[in-house]
Amino acid sequence: MKLRIAPSPTGSLHIGNARTALFNWLYAKANGGTFVVRIDDTDMERSTEEHQKNILENLQWLGLDWDEGVDVGGEHGDYRQSSRFERYREVAHQLVEKSFAYEDDGAIRFKVPKDQTINFKDFVRGDMSFDTSDVEDFVILRSDNSPTYHLASTVDDVDYGITIIARGEDILSSTPKHILIMEALGADLPNFCHLPLLFGPDGKKLSKRHGDTSVKAFRDKGILNDAMFNYLCLLGWSPGDDVELFDREFAISKFDFNKVLPNSAIFDEKKLLWLNGQYIRSTAYDKFLKDALIKVEENLNRALFPEENERLNKILPSVQERVETMNDLQAQVLFLLDEPFLINQEEWDTVNSEEAQKYLNNIRKKFIDLEDFNLENIELLMRTALEELEIKTKVGFQSTRVAITGTKISPPLFESIFALGKETCIARLTESIEKLTN
RNA sequence: GGCCCCGUCGUCCAGAGGCCUAGGACGCUGGGUUUUCAACCCAGAAACGCCGGUUCGAAUCCGGUCGGGGCUGCCA
């Protein structure tokens, strides 16, 4: 059993292609089959080395590996169609010799027999039947001597011994053409499986106009590969029993093409984000910490200073609980970085009051005298101040939050203060009080 | 236009004739918890496109219709 994914390097890895690759991979893994990755770069105009690299990289990022194909090798060369043009030309001319095709203004066209029925079984859609009278003669070799997709893809599938062709439904209508070529070549027919397409929120085939739909774009947004893998599995398939969070191994153990739905699915970023949050929270803290620090440095475009590192180490456990993507980190920890400290004036106005100012002055003095600046003492100090001044928790705490972090939204207050450290905390209070009381 | 595919809450999925006054999840609304935001917990609104047929019985089978989508390229 051999399956394949054959992306064209005319763009970076698209989510739809990633999902198709994923299902092929799952089926191969589930059944001990061979998974092949080859590159369909017959479109010389638009194919680039860079796109190819991006595609392979992102397949790997998703956790997909392949037994045969580009980069890993195998019996069929480098698995790039651009390396096999001679082979396709040979086949095209062979087909002309055998009268299956004919020359047409310099190109070679496949001669489609009329009034014939093409039958094949589709793993997702059942028995399919097409009338060849509805299929027009199609070009297999262009006048510039380059093969078209129909020719190259079919020849490769035959030459490489692909036994299950699972691809997007957009190619369903082209399948009779491919079968016709295979029959002309005297090849055994593989099984087919046309997977439902992924749509954008507008119900149209997911494409560039729905924004950036590349896997890389989501990766850049701070989506975890495990979450992306999991989410993609859920589009058109489910392992049953209402299970929605699972890993690769579990998916493999449950996957089958005949459980894949035939109808297209809309890519819903909201659910992906939720799933991502679930994965972030269930990540082992050590790994989260490591990834988080890298991410912050990336966003900052510089290395972290030692004291910043120390502060982040203190706050990150709380942050892990409240981010949806790795990119959300930045906003949560910004106040701990050696970057300009800015207070959101509008937010301050909503928490500012005479009481608040009294409170800030009071805890500032107390902090200066506090010897052991630990979590427990910070909380005790702040609560004591509330009682002494008879100020409501919310009034005292929210104004402190804005005074220290600059905004009303931050990680838990005591943790934030503790992470920031005594000196900086006092400095912030001083600065805020000065700036905000007049 | 022609050919083809598809049709369960807004979205993803469960449902393979009686277990369905249709279940789960995201999102949404309300409530709880709370020093903010999250997280978490509870509750709620929300769907079998429509019409026929088969059957004792249909979301499930068949036909039609309507709706959506794909292909119709010397793109893939």
Side-chain angles (χ1 to χ4, degrees):
Chain A
M1 175 191 297
K2 202 186 256 192
L3 297 96
R4 50 67 160 185
I5 179 79
S8 332
T10 54
S12 51
L13 182 65
H14 183 267
I15 295 165
N17 273 124
R19 206 276 307 261
T20 302
L22 178 55
F23 280 13
N24 271 284
W25 182 84
L26 283 174
Y27 194 80
K29 291 284 171 196
N31 298 283
T34 303
F35 180 48
V36 179
V37 173
R38 75 163 195 252
I39 294 291
D40 279 15
D41 55 350
T42 49
D43 184 346
M44 302 297 278
E45 292 284 305
R46 298 188 300 148
S47 296
T48 72
E49 196 69 34
E50 197 188 328
H51 288 141
Q52 178 181 319
K53 196 173 154 230
N54 171 294
I55 289 166
L56 299 177
E57 230 174 64
N58 284 292
L59 285 175
Q60 282 163 341
W61 178 74
L62 273 175
L64 310 189
D65 54 356
W66 50 101
D67 313 290
E68 191 182 320
V70 194
D71 284 359
V72 310
E75 296 168 33
H76 307 283
D78 67 1
Y79 291 82
R80 293 175 59 168
Q81 295 190 330
S82 51
S83 303
R84 285 168 47 83
F85 277 22
E86 270 316 312
R87 169 65 183 148
Y88 309 130
R89 282 173 199 139
E90 176 194 319
V91 173
H93 288 110
Q94 230 172 40
L95 291 175
V96 173
E97 271 168 41
K98 293 184 184 166
S99 304
F100 284 113
Y102 59 92
E103 293 205 28
D104 174 31
D105 291 340
I108 292 180
R109 225 172 249 283
F110 191 91
K111 193 194 301 169
V112 178
K114 299 302 160 194
D115 299 318
Q116 213 171 290
T117 307
I118 305 270
N119 295 303
F120 63 95
K121 197 168 189 75
D122 190 292
F123 281 176
V124 171
R125 278 152 232 284
D127 293 323
M128 303 301 314
S129 167
F130 286 84
D131 188 333
T132 55
S133 301
D134 295 320
V135 183
E136 305 203 347
D137 291 0
F138 55 97
V139 171
I140 53 177
L141 196 71
R142 301 186 187 100
S143 47
D144 68 356
N145 241 349
S146 67
T148 61
Y149 161 76
H150 298 304
L151 208 225
S153 176
T154 305
V155 170
D156 280 2
D157 286 335
V158 169
D159 286 354
Y160 298 174
I162 304 299
T163 60
I164 299 175
I165 297 180
R167 72 238 291 203
E169 195 207 316
D170 49 346
I171 304 176
L172 182 57
S173 313
S174 296
T175 302
K177 294 176 184 170
H178 303 169
I179 289 178
L180 251 13
I181 294 176
M182 286 172 179
E183 284 175 342
L185 293 176
D188 289 336
L189 253 43
N191 285 298
F192 289 93
C193 179
H194 289 94
L195 302 168
L197 260 23
L198 255 35
F199 285 173
D202 62 351
K204 300 265 201 293
K205 195 165 117 177
L206 200 60
S207 70
K208 326 269 176 304
R209 66 203 156 96
H210 295 105
D212 204 336
T213 52
S214 67
V215 171
K216 180 65 164 49
F218 286 92
R219 197 172 156 182
D220 290 343
K221 279 188 196 173
I223 298 295
L224 266 27
N225 57 353
D226 291 347
M228 185 55 114
F229 180 98
N230 192 154
Y231 179 68
L232 253 22
C233 283
L234 259 16
L235 297 177
W237 177 75
S238 91
D241 299 324
D242 292 331
V243 177
E244 297 209 296
L245 271 90
F246 49 81
D247 59 16
R248 293 174 180 76
E249 199 186 344
F250 180 79
I252 291 168
S253 75
K254 296 284 182 186
F255 191 80
D256 198 336
F257 280 135
N258 64 27
K259 293 286 285 179
V260 173
L261 258 31
N263 47 303
S264 44
I266 290 173
F267 186 87
D268 177 17
E269 197 172 336
K270 289 251 180 61
K271 187 153 183 176
L272 170 62
L273 288 173
W274 168 79
L275 243 183
N276 203 56
Q278 297 294 311
Y279 273 89
I280 286 180
R281 263 161 254 126
S282 64
T283 302
Y285 179 66
D286 286 352
K287 180 176 170 15
F288 172 77
L289 174 66
K290 195 172 139 249
D291 293 346
L293 293 177
I294 291 171
K295 198 73 193 181
V296 174
E297 289 191 330
E298 243 176 57
N299 289 333
L300 223 43
N301 208 14
R302 65 165 170 83
L304 288 165
F305 302 124
E307 70 269 21
E308 288 177 319
N309 223 299
E310 206 177 300
R311 293 177 196 150
L312 289 178
N313 266 283
K314 288 176 180 155
I315 206 70
L316 253 10
S318 303
V319 174
Q320 183 175 15
E321 300 302 316
R322 35 183 49 72
V323 289
E324 218 165 35
T325 75
M326 294 304 278
N327 284 12
D328 296 343
L329 285 167
Q330 208 69 6
Q332 291 270 330
V333 304
L334 190 62
F335 76 99
L336 294 172
L337 304 174
D338 287 346
E339 296 289 312
F341 175 59
L342 300 169
I343 291 186
N344 184 318
Q345 184 66 45
E346 257 176 53
E347 291 187 3
W348 172 256
D349 289 342
T350 67
V351 295
N352 190 9
S353 66
E354 240 173 75
E355 278 191 320
Q357 291 173 25
K358 238 164 65 187
Y359 183 75
L360 293 180
N361 272 302
N362 187 288
I363 60 168
R364 190 180 80 92
K365 281 187 201 117
K366 286 191 162 71
F367 276 140
I368 291 171
D369 296 333
L370 185 61
E371 281 186 19
D372 195 355
F373 198 79
N374 63 35
L375 217 46
E376 205 173 293
N377 286 344
I378 291 167
E379 175 163 6
L380 183 65
L381 178 156
M382 291 186 68
R383 290 200 188 280
T384 305
L386 285 180
E387 278 174 38
E388 286 174 8
L389 301 173
E390 292 183 326
I391 286 175
K392 280 187 185 142
T393 311
K394 195 163 185 171
V395 172
F397 287 4
Q398 272 305 76
S399 55
T400 307
R401 188 187 306 280
V402 177
I404 282 177
T405 71
T407 86
K408 281 163 76 173
I409 297 171
S410 82
L413 190 54
F414 308 135
E415 276 87 343
S416 296
I417 290 171
F418 176 60
L420 197 56
K422 181 170 170 175
E423 302 307 317
T424 317
C425 182
I426 292 167
R428 290 261 167 101
L429 282 173
T430 308
E431 187 184 338
S432 298
I433 291 166
E434 264 177 32
K435 194 185 292 179
L436 299 167
T437 49
N438 51 43

